[in-house]
């Protein structure tokens, strides 16, 4: 089984850049999307209901903003789209598809930078992290749980190309990294880092100017975290920087039956 996550930076724009071709060629059984930036009624029928796929969307109330989705070959037994705090639900950032005992979450964690890049949303971001983690804790008591998405945080210095110049930048602030560490200490496993513990140069997001992608000056902010029981079944964890269509690239895992 292959599970993939991709921040598409606008699904309608990504469709014009090959999204449907990727959907069919990726080998995915489950595809988690973030930053859909469209209401379901704004999508064409092929994107809303692609042949051979079940789709679940949770959009933001504000048009053209945020939004998450899950595409799956099998029909979910249940879909969860809300956190307890309504302030988080209006932004359309949290969706979970359950397949029997297994839970797969697609989450678009907030940025902390705010509109003026003043780090004014860091408190909101950390509160969202904590709310999501509480709900995911409940889910992983019921079975294997995978958390995929854009976490908007580079956890360690090897997760971005220029750590020293970004120490005061949201996405690499000490308090954001500490929150990520808290998740790891609670037993969530960063499956890519587990397989590649000391390798730098693996990034999932690049600025869209200044040759950042060409020079691989990026950040690893898209992750697959797994509960301990889920991590046991992971046979491969990968990042696909060669896939175009967004300023992020897809990340994913293959899992076996074990």
């Amino acid at each position: 089984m292959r599970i993939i996550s991709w921040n598409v930076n606008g699904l309608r724009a990504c469709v014009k850049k090959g999204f449907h071709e990727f959907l069919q060629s990726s080998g995915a059984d489950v595809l988690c999307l973030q930053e859909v930036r469209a209401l379901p009624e704004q999508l064409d029928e092929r994107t809303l209901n692609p042949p051979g796929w079940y789709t679940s969307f949770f959009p933001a109330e504000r048009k053209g903003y945020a939004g998450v989705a899950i595409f799956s070959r099998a029909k979910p037994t249940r879909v969860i789209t809300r956190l307890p705090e309504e302030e988080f639900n209006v932004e359309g950032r949290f969706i979970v598809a359950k397949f029997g005992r297994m839970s797969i979450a697609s989450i678009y964690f907030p940025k902390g930078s705010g509109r003026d890049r003043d780090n004014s949303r860091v408190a909101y971001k950390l509160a969202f992290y904590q709310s999501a983690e509480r709900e995911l804790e409940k889910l992983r008591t019921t079975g294997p749980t995978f958390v995929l998405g854009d976490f908007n945080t580079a956890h360690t210095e090897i997760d971005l190309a220029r750590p020293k110049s970004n120490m005061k930048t949201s996405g690499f602030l000490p308090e954001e990294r500490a929150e990520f560490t808290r998740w790891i200490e609670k037993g969530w496993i960063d499956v890519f880092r587990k397989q590649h513990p000391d390798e730098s140069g693996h990034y999932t997001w690049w600025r869209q100017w200044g040759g950042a992608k060409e020079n691989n000056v990026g950040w690893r902010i898209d992750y697959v975290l797994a509960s301990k029981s889920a991590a046991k079944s992971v046979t491969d964890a990968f990042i696909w920087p060669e896939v175009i269509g967004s300023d992020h690239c897809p990340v994913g895992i293959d899992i076996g039956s074990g």
Side-chain angles (χ1 to χ4, degrees):
M1 181 180 185
R2 175 167 288 175
I3 310 172
I4 294 176
S5 177
W6 194 10
N7 178 321
V8 290
N9 191 21
L11 182 53
R12 288 171 292 179
C14 194
V15 164
K16 297 176 182 178
K17 301 173 185 176
F19 171 78
H20 286 288
E21 292 74 12
F22 172 81
L23 184 64
Q24 299 306 323
S25 66
S26 65
D29 296 285
V30 179
L31 176 62
C32 298
L33 302 181
Q34 303 87 43
E35 207 169 352
V36 173
R37 289 169 55 184
L39 302 176
E41 55 266 31
Q42 293 178 301
L43 299 170
D44 64 273
E45 180 61 22
R46 185 185 177 204
T47 305
L48 187 61
N49 294 300
W53 294 87
Y54 294 91
T55 60
S56 303
F57 292 86
F58 186 44
E61 292 183 3
R62 177 175 140 202
K63 288 184 177 180
Y65 180 72
V68 288
I70 296 179
F71 289 49
S72 60
R73 291 290 193 181
K75 185 178 181 179
T77 53
R78 183 186 175 199
V79 176
I80 303 165
T81 58
R82 306 194 76 78
L83 292 170
E85 300 84 2
E86 192 58 29
E87 64 180 308
F88 301 136
N89 296 325
V90 297
E91 296 198 353
R93 296 183 176 276
F94 182 90
I95 188 170
V96 180
K98 287 190 68 68
F99 301 90
R101 293 179 60 247
M102 179 185 294
S103 299
I104 299 175
S106 176
I107 306 181
Y108 180 33
F109 290 81
K111 295 178 182 178
S113 53
R115 291 185 178 181
D116 299 321
R117 300 186 181 277
D118 54 1
N119 294 345
S120 60
R121 292 246 299 175
V122 170
Y124 178 90
K125 175 180 179 177
L126 296 178
F128 180 95
Y129 260 84
Q130 291 156 17
S131 178
E133 193 267 337
R134 286 192 294 269
E135 296 308 300
L136 294 165
E137 282 287 327
K138 299 174 187 176
L139 288 171
R140 72 174 179 176
T141 65
T142 68
T145 302
F146 296 97
V147 186
L148 297 91
D150 177 359
F151 282 67
N152 264 312
T153 299
H155 185 207
T156 69
E157 290 195 2
I158 62 172
D159 292 316
L160 70 167
R162 294 175 177 169
K164 297 213 174 355
S165 61
N166 284 289
M167 293 291 183
K168 297 182 179 180
T169 302
S170 179
F172 199 60
L173 295 174
E175 57 267 44
E176 296 169 328
R177 297 167 63 196
E179 177 61 21
F180 201 115
T181 297
R182 187 181 72 83
W183 283 47
I184 300 301
E185 291 175 346
K186 293 269 284 191
W188 294 99
I189 297 167
D190 176 354
V191 290
F192 182 85
R193 188 53 71 203
K194 182 180 179 181
Q195 290 193 358
H196 307 273
D198 302 310
E199 294 180 15
S200 60
H202 295 292
Y203 308 127
T204 67
W205 174 80
W206 301 262
R207 296 187 188 279
Q208 294 179 288
W209 63 87
K213 183 70 178 288
E214 293 77 6
N215 296 309
N216 200 28
V217 180
W219 296 54
R220 189 171 78 100
I221 57 176
D222 302 84
Y223 296 84
V224 182
L225 299 189
S227 64
K228 289 182 179 179
S229 62
K232 292 177 182 177
S233 64
V234 175
T235 58
D236 190 26
F238 51 85
I239 296 173
W240 287 346
E242 70 280 0
V243 175
I244 60 174
S246 171
D247 53 349
H248 295 249
C249 75
V251 303
I253 55 171
D254 290 329
I255 64 176
S257 58

